Amino acid sequence: MLHLRVIVPADRTDDIVRLVEGTVGCTHLAVLPGAARDPAGDVVMFDVAREVGDGLIDELRARGLAENGAIAVENVDLLLSKRADEAEEEAPGEGADAVLWEQLAGATHEESTLSVTYIAFLALATMIAACGVVLDNAILIVGAMAVGPEFGPLAGFCTALVRRAPRLAWRSLTALLVGFAAAMAITVLFSLFMDAVGLFSVERLDGERPNTGFVYAPDWFSFVVAVLAGAAGTLSLTSSKAGALVGVAISVTTVPAAANAAVALSYGELGQTRGSTEQLLLNLLGIVVAGTLTLLVQKALWARRAERPSRRQRFRRRA
């Protein structure tokens, strides 16, 4: 269930109340006349099944409440109510399959912002991965993958393509390109420093690396894994299953490939630099393709499912 708290201009309260009462899947409606001070108006609160949340939020926005009032949406982790159970049964589809596009756009917008913190995380992840590729240490590679924040901009770019939002697309693409460029430049300097103090060497980079040699040898398996990870990551975002993102992060070799390219560049090893760059671009492409297709499929399936009657409505028809 979702909990919505809406600030409504007093002259529109009756219209909003009728909208909520006429929407299948809404319950626990409460109206507090004159409770809002900034902006001034009435406060309308209610719970709604996740399945119909996106459509209802669109209706509230269409009535200008985002400009003249406020719309706050919260996920309800625990709700003990018979009426809430009935509301979820009345709503068509399953809550886990519903996509809240406004929530997804807001989350990816925040994650796609090019900030000092974002670049710091990406640079730190790339430097950790640099240590992993030089030492041929798979544990460091996995750790670097988990630290890297690059899936946020990738998800933002996919969302922007589906929603045809050029500003979000440009913001996400900028965060990806500038972020990786900055992280790789910092890692080149880090590699030069580590070589100066005797911790990195070209012999280690060119030596046998059975655990990490894959980061500069792209193949079709790299693309397949990136596609699968992109689909899984997108599903984890749209279904609020954030725990799956950790698995996605350690499934693709974006950060390790960028790290190996930076270290190889610091030693003038252009072959490895080229191979690692190809690995990086192949993974980014796979995630974008899979993420965009996943969102398009979800959008189409949910639109078709929302037109079907709910279980309770089908039961009433039979009765």
Side-chain angles (χ1 to χ4, degrees):
M1 295 290 287
L2 302 172
H3 178 72
L4 270 71
R5 184 181 71 255
V6 184
I7 296 179
V8 187
D11 60 338
R12 302 186 190 178
T13 301
D14 291 341
D15 177 49
I16 298 303
V17 169
R18 284 193 296 270
L19 171 64
V20 175
E21 290 178 335
T23 302
V24 174
C26 290
T27 186
H28 303 152
L29 174 63
V31 180
L32 305 177
R37 293 292 182 267
D38 183 21
D42 301 335
V43 175
V44 179
M45 299 183 294
F46 55 94
D47 296 324
V48 59
R50 183 182 174 89
E51 298 92 302
V52 296
D54 188 67
L56 184 55
I57 292 172
D58 286 343
E59 288 288 343
L60 294 173
R61 285 183 61 90
R63 283 165 167 77
L65 295 188
E67 292 78 21
N68 302 313
I71 306 170
V73 183
E74 300 175 0
N75 287 306
V76 180
D77 294 327
L78 177 63
L79 180 58
L80 304 179
S81 168
K82 180 180 179 181
R83 181 65 191 99
D85 294 338
E86 293 173 349
E88 287 190 320
E89 291 181 2
E90 292 170 355
E94 297 293 335
D97 296 333
V99 180
L100 297 177
W101 291 101
E102 290 292 341
Q103 186 181 61
L104 179 61
T108 53
H109 183 279
E110 182 179 351
E111 294 293 328
S112 301
T113 301
L114 184 63
S115 63
V116 174
T117 301
Y118 169 79
I119 293 178
F121 268 113
L122 191 55
L124 289 170
T126 308
M127 287 188 285
I128 293 172
C131 296
V133 297
V134 172
L135 296 175
D136 194 36
N137 190 314
I139 295 177
L140 291 177
I141 293 294
V142 171
M145 291 176 175
V147 173
E150 73 280 5
F151 191 80
L154 286 167
F157 190 69
C158 296
T159 303
L161 292 179
V162 174
R163 302 200 73 191
R164 298 179 182 178
R167 288 187 178 180
L168 179 58
W170 178 249
R171 176 189 292 266
S172 301
L173 189 60
T174 300
L176 278 173
L177 297 180
V178 176
F180 269 111
M184 292 173 70
I186 293 171
T187 304
V188 168
L189 298 177
F190 174 73
S191 177
L192 293 173
F193 169 77
M194 294 292 280
D195 178 76
V197 298
L199 296 177
F200 281 9
S201 66
V202 68
E203 290 77 20
R204 283 186 169 184
L205 183 69
D206 291 336
E208 288 290 329
R209 288 194 283 152
N211 295 319
T212 60
F214 65 92
V215 298
Y216 60 89
D219 54 23
W220 280 108
F221 279 107
S222 301
F223 184 75
V224 170
V225 171
V227 168
L228 297 176
T234 303
L235 285 174
S236 71
L237 286 177
T238 57
S239 62
S240 298
K241 304 293 184 183
L245 277 178
V246 177
V248 172
I250 61 177
S251 299
V252 291
T253 55
T254 50
V255 167
N260 197 84
V263 175
L265 183 61
S266 70
Y267 285 112
E269 296 287 332
L270 299 184
Q272 284 198 36
T273 300
R274 182 171 54 253
S276 298
T277 302
E278 291 175 358
Q279 178 78 281
L280 172 62
L281 295 176
L282 194 64
N283 276 266
L284 294 177
L285 176 62
I287 293 173
V288 168
V289 169
T292 303
L293 290 178
T294 299
L295 289 175
L296 288 172
V297 170
Q298 284 184 290
K299 186 176 182 179
L301 289 179
W302 185 254
R304 181 177 299 179
R305 184 171 298 176
E307 296 175 353
R308 300 176 183 174
S310 65
R311 288 170 293 180
R312 181 178 289 271
Q313 290 172 328
R314 291 196 299 268
F315 176 77
R316 287 175 178 173
R317 289 181 182 178
R318 293 173 183 173

